[in-house]
Each structure stands twice: as C-alpha cells, then as structure tokens.
Amino acid sequence: DAGVIQSPRHEVTEMGQEVTLRCKPISGHNSLFWYRQTMMRGLELLIYFNNNVPIDDSGMPEDRFSAKMPNASFSTLKIQPSEPRDSAVYFCAIPRQDGGSDNEQFFGPGTRLTVL
Amino acid sequence: GQSLEQPSEVTAVEGAIVQINCTYQTSGFYGLSWYQQHDGGAPTFLSYNALDGLEETGRFSSFLSRSDSYGYLLLQELQMKDSASYFCAVASFQKLVFGTGTRLLVSP
C-alpha cells in the first residue's frame, strides 16, 4: 500500500516568516501532488510533479510559493514570506500505485498551517 | 474552465440509502472519482468511473453518465461512521479537479 509522511503535522508561525512543508512517499513515486484545503476555497491543486519535474504549477497562488521534488522520495513546498491568508491544511498525494492512474490518489495526513 | 457542483449537505438516518449527485463542466474529461474525508482527516479514495454505468464496491456504488456530465455516489445501509464529507473529482489532463464537497450527516 502507498504511504505518505508529511511534516510537520502542525505549524504555527508569524506573518513574514518562511515556512517549509515536507512530503515523503514511503515508497518512491515519480508523480506527486500538492493540495491546499480551506473552508472558503475547498481542495485546490497547487502543483504536481511527474518524473520529479513540475508539470503544472498553475495552481500556485503567487511567487511566494515554490515547490521542489529533488528525488522520488522527497518533496518540499515553501512559502516565503508567509501571510495569514496562507493558513490552510496542505496535503501531499501520490498515485495509489506507482505508475498507476492519477485518478486514484493516496493523500498524506496533511500539515495544518496557521499564520498569525 | 472547469466546475463541479454538489449539494453542500445531506442528512439521513442509519440504515437508509443516500445519493450524492455531482454535475460537472470540464475540458479533457477522463473520468469521475469519489473521495471521502472525515473531519480532521485526509481525503481517501472511494471509486472511479471512466465509462458510463454503475460501479459497485460493497455498500458504496458510483454512477457516471458522460453524455449528461453527471455522476452520483450511492451509499447503502448507512452507518454512523459514514458521516463525513464526500468529494467528486474530475480526472483531466493528468490531474484531479475537486468539487466543493457534500457533508453527509448520519443520525441514529
């Protein structure tokens, strides 16, 4: 079964600080998705990678957001500087089976970010 | 653009059957997925329909009509643990676009 570790699980920071969210698929995957979930906007795709290359980053809100996937076992989402409106739950997801359909995704537990 | 519409909330009692509808407008449609999310948890995959018709998985079934841009999730023999949010999601160009979710409240 696919598994994803996200860290930290909770992050509270002050406006203007840099925030780095981490995602680690337990088994290396070539595809990886970052989502943001808020009450107002629902579940939004921010960016996704295929073969460790960003394919579509049209969901990234603005230049303050950046993401990397240096290898099949690790990805980061960075926000700098952070703002209160960035407060949300950030999920990382992978295909349930490596090489399988992107329609069946396994979500990590999420990082709850609060920017004061 | 892409848009999906679902009811915001549905209520039902234990043992009942409930249907959650989803209509969509999208380009590049490959199929319709359904996800369940409990409060404080992560979305979990329930089902996927690429072709018209009904797919059954235990107490849950999912239906798709591509010509009508419509699908639904059918939950039978409802249990209290089914209280959660349910999202339909369109598979399009290697990614998923999620609806706003339907909150299902199951009462005794």
Side-chain angles (χ1 to χ4, degrees):
Chain A
D1 285 344
V4 177
I5 298 173
Q6 289 190 246
S7 63
R9 294 293 308 277
H10 302 271
E11 176 83 12
V12 180
T13 190
E14 293 187 346
M15 181 175 63
Q17 296 297 305
E18 176 180 303
V19 174
T20 300
L21 311 181
R22 297 173 177 80
C23 174
K24 183 175 181 178
I26 293 175
S27 300
H29 280 72
N30 290 324
S31 296
L32 186 143
F33 304 80
W34 280 101
Y35 292 88
R36 177 175 68 176
Q37 187 173 34
T38 62
M39 288 294 293
M40 292 295 295
R41 300 177 67 88
L43 192 59
E44 307 171 277
L45 177 67
L46 298 177
I47 185 172
Y48 75 94
F49 294 85
N50 196 18
N51 291 323
N52 309 329
V53 174
I55 302 300
D56 185 346
D57 64 355
S58 59
M60 296 285 262
E62 47 198 273
D63 293 344
R64 298 184 297 106
F65 284 67
S66 63
K68 295 181 180 179
M69 188 174 182
N71 56 63
S73 299
F74 186 65
S75 177
T76 59
L77 178 68
K78 184 178 292 186
I79 308 172
Q80 181 184 19
S82 58
E83 297 182 3
R85 58 187 167 138
D86 302 330
S87 297
V89 180
Y90 291 81
F91 290 104
C92 170
I94 57 175
R96 290 210 313 168
Q97 295 178 355
D98 193 20
S101 168
D102 296 326
N103 312 310
E104 303 181 28
Q105 295 182 12
F106 183 93
F107 282 72
T111 295
R112 182 174 294 276
L113 173 65
T114 302
V115 183
L116 303 175
Chain B
Q2 296 169 317
S3 67
L4 295 90
E5 290 193 13
Q6 312 177 226
S8 59
E9 188 172 290
V10 174
T11 59
V13 296
E14 273 188 299
I17 299 173
V18 72
Q19 179 174 310
I20 299 174
N21 298 321
C22 174
T23 58
Y24 59 87
Q25 287 185 317
T26 184
S27 56
F29 177 86
Y30 296 119
L32 190 69
S33 297
W34 288 92
Y35 286 75
Q36 177 192 60
Q37 185 179 27
H38 286 97
D39 286 347
T44 57
F45 172 80
L46 290 177
S47 68
Y48 172 66
N49 294 67
L51 303 174
D52 287 358
L54 192 68
E55 296 278 346
E56 298 183 52
T57 308
R59 294 187 298 112
F60 294 1
S61 303
S62 57
F63 172 83
L64 175 65
S65 169
R66 296 173 71 115
S67 60
D68 296 322
S69 298
Y70 164 76
Y72 65 74
L73 180 68
L74 189 73
L75 299 87
Q76 303 182 72
E77 301 174 18
L78 281 174
Q79 302 175 9
M80 295 294 291
K81 67 178 182 179
D82 297 330
S83 292
S85 293
Y86 293 84
F87 295 86
C88 59
V90 164
S92 172
F93 300 121
Q94 292 185 292
K95 63 184 182 182
L96 290 174
V97 177
F98 282 82
T100 52
T102 298
R103 188 170 182 85
L104 172 63
L105 302 173
V106 181
S107 57

